[in-house]
Amino acid sequence: MARLSYVVTIISVTLMCVLAEELYSDKYDNIDPISILQNDKLREEYYNCYMEKDPCPTEDAKFVQGIMSEVIQTDCKKCTEKQKEMYNEMKDWLIKNKPEQWEALVAKSAEDMKKKNAGL
């Protein structure tokens, strides 16, 4: 009986570890992506930051730059609910209004993830 209890405990702990996948920090969950997207100057600053063409204009942009490729490639798998909402707003807005920028972000994210997975 003790052996069965031990096996059940191991399975339970393993399942909890799998289900408790780490989420991104919620430190910047209060930004308004639509106000950034609708401001041409600000949108370009953020876009150039994400594309690594220019320095990031804010700490939140720098944070997002660090996770953007993974967010795009996993469709926001590690995002909080608020981050998923913001990501979907950004994605939908860019696809509708700036599809070439969205495609460039997707292409860059795929390239970045290949490099990361290759250990480069």
Side-chain angles (χ1 to χ4, degrees), residues 20-29 63-84 86-87 113 116:
E21 186 172 351
E22 187 177 330
L23 300 177
Y24 300 124
S25 170
D26 63 356
K27 183 176 181 178
Y28 299 109
D29 280 10
F63 168 76
V64 174
Q65 179 201 38
I67 62 171
M68 180 64 86
S69 293
E70 184 176 47
V71 167
I72 291 172
Q73 291 299 305
T74 65
D75 203 30
C76 222
K77 184 178 177 182
K78 294 182 186 177
C79 294
T80 64
E81 287 305 312
K82 177 64 176 172
Q83 290 164 352
K84 287 178 184 178
M86 292 188 296
Y87 169 72
M113 293 303 287
K116 181 179 177 182

Side-chain angles (χ1 to χ4, degrees), residues 2 9 21-22 28 36 40 46 52 54 64-66 73 75-76 81-82 88 90 98 107-108 114 119:
T9 302
E21 186 172 351
E22 187 177 330
Y28 299 109
I36 294 168
D40 292 342
Y46 274 71
E52 298 179 348
D54 288 329
V64 174
Q65 179 201 38
Q73 291 299 305
D75 203 30
C76 222
E81 287 305 312
K82 177 64 176 172
N88 287 324
M90 179 213 57
K98 295 286 185 180
K108 182 177 184 321
K114 283 181 190 174

Side-chain angles (χ1 to χ4, degrees), residues 30-49:
N30 293 322
I31 61 171
D32 179 8
I34 297 302
S35 66
I36 294 168
L37 292 165
Q38 292 176 342
N39 180 318
D40 292 342
K41 182 179 184 293
L42 197 53
R43 181 184 64 249
E44 288 304 311
E45 288 176 351
Y46 274 71
Y47 176 76
N48 288 333
C49 159

